[in-house]
Amino acid sequence: MADRYLSFTGTAPGRFLTRRLGLPQPTALHRWSAEHPSFTGELLHLGAGKSPLDGPDGLAAVLARTGLAVRARSERPVAVVLDATGVTDIDTLAEVHAALHPVVRSVARSGRVIVLGAPLATADHHQAAVQQALEGFVRSLGKEIGRGITVTLLRLTDANAAESTLRFLLSPKSAYVSGQVIGIGGAEVTAPADWALPLAGRTALVTGAARGIGEAVAATLARDGARVVCLDVPGAAVELESVAGRLGGTALALDITAPDAGARILAALPSDGLDVLVHNAGITRDRRLVNMAAERWSPVLDVNLASVLRTTDALLSAGGLRTGGRIVATASIAGLAGNAGQTNYAASKAGVAGLVRALAPTAAPEHGVTVNAVAPGFIETKMTAAVPLFIREAGRRMNSLGQGGLPVDVAETTAWLAHPASGGVNGQVVRVCGQSLLGA
Ligand code: NAI
């Protein structure tokens, strides 16, 4: 279901009328396309405090590799990176204000503000306080800045381990990710031979790939060079074959809740195993708890959580995921914030976040595999087209970007987490929600 309001406000009469009526004026976001794969223009690099990321092979070198023109001053930056890793007290925190106050107004439409912070784990409670302060700062700026600009806080200790993340955030691929705090560990990372084809020679399996977000994920991973195995229920076999055929991948018609699903996936994989496992299949059976029979509870928990646990265990224990592998599961902001009528769905999606946080610290050393989740907000799909009009319109607008996301926004975030150079990103639940007000 197209967002007609967004199209209308993109026209001159629409802009005039909505301004006169004081209605929201969402900005059409700049997303990735083959014609416009990256931003062009200036990246304003600012600092607060004495940064530990300075140095010849540090942050400046990584930013220079993004292709943007890095400047210490800019009239119209497409992106601002403020290095606040050296913020240790109230005075250096004031430098964050001093650096950004004069420039926020000049950031280009659909641009980026990225604040870099230090990990919170410090014995110095003054430093912990001001580093935590950055979260309130970033989330507030995301809510007020407008013009389709996203604001993100990255916590890191090693700029090189954050290169794939910085490239993602400093590109049109992250158009709908805002108000997030993302932590990057100091993992050893190897740059791909070709940043445009990071998944070349790798195999990815996507569940629920016949349509919606799963189809977009399969297409985006294929664009990045992966051989894709597209899985969906036998009832969707025709659509599945068509998606897999278009992407040069293979179709696996299988109900993911089947007790032998793990074994059947293993049998369908190439002999060298799998590099990327995307748990995307999901269903809803909404009712308030008082009206929710067990028939509405069990299938939702089975598809959205139990099968994710079972297939993850089956693949990890059989060595089905190669070293350097990536697991990306699909949570939901409803799971993080709670949503009336969705006790079953939110329980399943909160469970996904729990699985990710618990498995990530052991899967990395034991299997060389990272485990993360995407948590979509309101995404324009058949699932949300079925939502009643007024709730749908509220879901679309109640976020900092004033619009719903597209399946490709979740797909791009998944591709970043699946990236071979994203080994430092582990145990994260990243919301793709335009900074939704739900549980913000
Ligand atoms: P969708 O309903 O359009 O697609 C889901 C796909 O999963 C379908 O092709 C379906 O056949 C497949 N599937 C369902 N049960 C299956 C099973 N037992 N075995 C194999 N495949 C199965 O849904 P959409 O919107 O693309 O959502 C994808 C994921 O994103 C789901 O996990 C959903 O919960 C999550 N999500 C979606 C949001 C949205 O706004 N659309 C918001 C938050 C999360």
Coordinates of all heavy atoms in Angstrom, one line a residue, residues 208 210-214 231-233 254-257 280-283 303 330-332 345 349 376-379 381 383-384, ligand 1:
G208 N 11.5 -17.3 4.8 CA 10.4 -16.4 4.5 C 10.7 -15.5 3.4 O 10.4 -14.3 3.3
A210 N 9.8 -15.6 0.1 CA 8.9 -15.6 -1.1 C 8.3 -14.2 -1.3 O 7.9 -13.9 -2.4 CB 7.8 -16.6 -0.9
R211 N 8.3 -13.4 -0.2 CA 7.7 -12.0 -0.4 C 8.2 -11.1 0.7 O 9.0 -11.5 1.6 CB 6.2 -12.1 -0.4 CG 5.7 -12.5 1.0 CD 4.2 -12.6 1.0 NE 3.7 -12.3 2.4 CZ 2.4 -12.5 2.8 NH1 1.5 -12.9 1.9 NH2 2.0 -12.2 4.0
G212 N 7.8 -9.9 0.6 CA 8.0 -8.9 1.7 C 9.5 -8.7 2.0 O 10.3 -8.6 1.2
I213 N 9.7 -8.6 3.3 CA 11.1 -8.2 3.8 C 12.1 -9.3 3.4 O 13.2 -9.0 2.9 CB 11.1 -8.0 5.3 CG1 10.2 -6.8 5.7 CG2 12.5 -7.9 5.8 CD1 10.0 -6.6 7.2
G214 N 11.7 -10.6 3.5 CA 12.6 -11.7 3.2 C 13.0 -11.7 1.7 O 14.2 -11.9 1.4
L231 N 14.1 -19.8 1.3 CA 13.2 -20.8 1.9 C 11.9 -20.2 2.2 O 11.8 -19.0 2.7 CB 13.9 -21.3 3.2 CG 13.2 -22.3 4.1 CD1 14.2 -23.1 4.9 CD2 12.1 -21.8 5.0
D232 N 10.8 -20.9 2.0 CA 9.5 -20.5 2.4 C 8.6 -21.7 2.4 O 9.0 -22.8 2.0 CB 8.9 -19.4 1.4 CG 8.0 -18.4 2.2 OD1 7.0 -18.9 2.7 OD2 8.3 -17.2 2.2
V233 N 7.3 -21.5 2.9 CA 6.4 -22.7 3.0 C 6.1 -23.3 1.7 O 6.0 -22.5 0.7 CB 5.1 -22.3 3.7 CG1 5.3 -22.0 5.2 CG2 4.5 -21.0 3.1
L254 N 9.9 -25.3 2.3 CA 10.0 -26.1 3.6 C 9.3 -25.3 4.7 O 9.6 -24.1 4.8 CB 11.5 -26.3 3.9 CG 11.8 -26.8 5.3 CD1 11.3 -28.2 5.5 CD2 13.3 -26.8 5.5
D255 N 8.5 -25.9 5.4 CA 7.9 -25.2 6.6 C 9.0 -25.2 7.7 O 9.4 -26.3 8.1 CB 6.6 -26.0 7.1 CG 5.9 -25.2 8.2 OD1 6.6 -24.5 9.0 OD2 4.7 -25.3 8.2
I256 N 9.4 -24.1 8.1 CA 10.5 -24.0 9.1 C 10.2 -24.6 10.4 O 11.1 -24.9 11.2 CB 10.9 -22.5 9.2 CG1 12.3 -22.3 9.8 CG2 10.0 -21.6 10.0 CD1 13.4 -22.8 8.9
T257 N 8.9 -24.8 10.7 CA 8.5 -25.4 12.0 C 8.6 -26.9 11.9 O 8.3 -27.6 12.9 CB 7.1 -25.0 12.4 OG1 6.1 -25.5 11.5 CG2 7.0 -23.5 12.6
N280 N 14.1 -14.8 9.0 CA 13.1 -13.7 8.7 C 11.7 -14.2 8.8 O 10.8 -13.4 9.0 CB 13.4 -13.2 7.3 CG 12.3 -12.3 6.8 OD1 12.1 -11.2 7.1 ND2 11.5 -13.0 5.9
A281 N 11.4 -15.5 8.5 CA 10.0 -15.9 8.5 C 9.3 -15.5 9.8 O 9.8 -15.7 10.9 CB 9.9 -17.4 8.3
G282 N 8.1 -15.0 9.7 CA 7.4 -14.6 10.9 C 5.9 -14.5 10.6 O 5.5 -14.3 9.4
I283 N 5.1 -14.7 11.6 CA 3.6 -14.5 11.4 C 3.0 -13.8 12.6 O 3.7 -13.7 13.7 CB 2.9 -15.9 11.3 CG1 3.2 -16.8 12.6 CG2 3.3 -16.6 10.1 CD1 2.3 -18.0 12.7
V303 N 6.7 -20.4 14.9 CA 7.4 -19.9 13.7 C 8.4 -18.8 14.1 O 9.6 -18.9 13.7 CB 6.3 -19.2 12.8 CG1 7.1 -18.5 11.6 CG2 5.3 -20.2 12.3
T330 N 15.2 -11.8 13.1 CA 14.3 -10.7 13.0 C 13.5 -10.6 14.2 O 12.6 -11.4 14.5 CB 13.4 -10.9 11.7 OG1 14.3 -11.2 10.6 CG2 12.6 -9.6 11.5
A331 N 13.7 -9.5 15.0 CA 12.9 -9.2 16.1 C 11.8 -8.2 15.6 O 11.4 -8.2 14.4 CB 13.7 -8.6 17.2
S332 N 11.4 -7.3 16.4 CA 10.4 -6.3 16.0 C 10.3 -5.2 17.2 O 10.5 -5.6 18.3 CB 9.0 -6.9 15.9 OG 8.0 -5.9 16.0
Y345 N 3.0 -12.3 19.8 CA 4.0 -11.8 18.8 C 5.1 -11.1 19.6 O 6.3 -11.4 19.3 CB 3.3 -10.9 17.9 CG 4.2 -10.3 16.8 CD1 4.6 -11.1 15.7 CD2 4.6 -9.0 16.8 CE1 5.3 -10.6 14.6 CE2 5.4 -8.5 15.8 CZ 5.8 -9.3 14.7 OH 6.5 -8.8 13.7
K349 N 9.1 -12.1 19.7 CA 10.1 -11.2 19.2 C 11.1 -10.7 20.3 O 12.3 -10.5 20.1 CB 9.5 -10.0 18.5 CG 8.7 -10.4 17.3 CD 9.6 -11.1 16.2 CE 8.9 -11.2 14.9 NZ 9.8 -11.8 13.9
P376 N 12.6 -4.4 13.0 CA 11.9 -3.5 12.2 C 10.8 -2.7 12.9 O 10.2 -3.3 13.8 CB 11.3 -4.3 11.0 CG 12.0 -5.6 11.1 CD 12.4 -5.8 12.6
G377 N 10.6 -1.5 12.5 CA 9.4 -0.7 13.0 C 8.3 -0.9 12.0 O 8.0 -2.1 11.6
F378 N 7.6 0.2 11.6 CA 6.5 0.1 10.6 C 7.2 0.0 9.2 O 7.7 0.9 8.7 CB 5.6 1.3 10.7 CG 4.4 1.2 9.8 CD1 3.2 0.7 10.3 CD2 4.6 1.5 8.5 CE1 2.1 0.6 9.4 CE2 3.5 1.4 7.6 CZ 2.3 1.0 8.1
I379 N 7.0 -1.2 8.6 CA 7.6 -1.4 7.3 C 6.4 -1.6 6.3 O 5.5 -2.4 6.6 CB 8.5 -2.6 7.2 CG1 9.6 -2.4 8.3 CG2 9.2 -2.8 5.9 CD1 10.6 -1.3 8.1
T381 N 4.6 -3.5 4.0 CA 4.5 -4.8 3.4 C 3.1 -5.3 3.4 O 2.2 -4.6 4.0 CB 5.3 -5.8 4.2 OG1 4.7 -6.0 5.5 CG2 6.8 -5.5 4.4
M383 N 2.0 -7.5 5.3 CA 1.6 -7.6 6.8 C 1.0 -6.3 7.3 O 0.0 -6.3 7.9 CB 2.9 -8.0 7.6 CG 2.6 -8.5 9.0 SD 4.2 -8.7 9.9 CE 4.3 -10.4 10.0
T384 N 1.6 -5.2 7.0 CA 1.2 -3.9 7.5 C 0.0 -3.3 6.7 O -0.8 -2.5 7.2 CB 2.3 -2.9 7.7 OG1 3.1 -2.9 6.5 CG2 3.2 -3.2 8.8
Ligands
NAI1 P1 5.2 -11.3 5.3 O1 4.0 -11.9 5.9 O2 5.0 -10.4 4.1 O3 6.3 -12.4 4.9 C1 6.6 -13.5 5.8 C2 7.1 -14.7 5.0 O4 7.4 -15.7 5.9 C3 6.0 -15.2 4.0 O5 6.5 -15.4 2.7 C4 5.5 -16.5 4.7 O6 5.1 -17.5 3.8 C5 6.8 -16.9 5.4 N1 6.6 -17.9 6.5 C6 5.6 -17.8 7.4 N2 5.6 -18.9 8.1 C7 6.6 -19.7 7.7 C8 7.1 -21.0 8.0 N3 6.5 -21.7 9.0 N4 8.1 -21.5 7.3 C9 8.6 -20.8 6.3 N5 8.2 -19.6 5.9 C10 7.2 -19.1 6.6 O7 5.9 -10.6 6.5 P2 7.0 -9.3 6.4 O8 6.3 -8.1 6.7 O9 7.8 -9.4 5.2 O10 7.8 -9.7 7.8 C11 9.1 -10.4 7.7 C12 9.6 -10.5 9.1 O11 9.7 -9.1 9.7 C13 8.7 -11.2 10.1 O12 9.5 -11.9 11.0 C14 8.0 -10.1 10.8 O13 7.5 -10.5 12.1 C15 9.1 -9.0 10.9 N6 8.6 -7.7 11.1 C16 7.8 -7.1 10.1 C17 7.4 -5.8 10.3 C18 6.6 -5.0 9.3 O14 6.3 -3.9 9.6 N7 6.3 -5.6 8.2 C19 7.7 -5.1 11.6 C20 8.5 -5.8 12.5 C21 8.9 -7.1 12.3

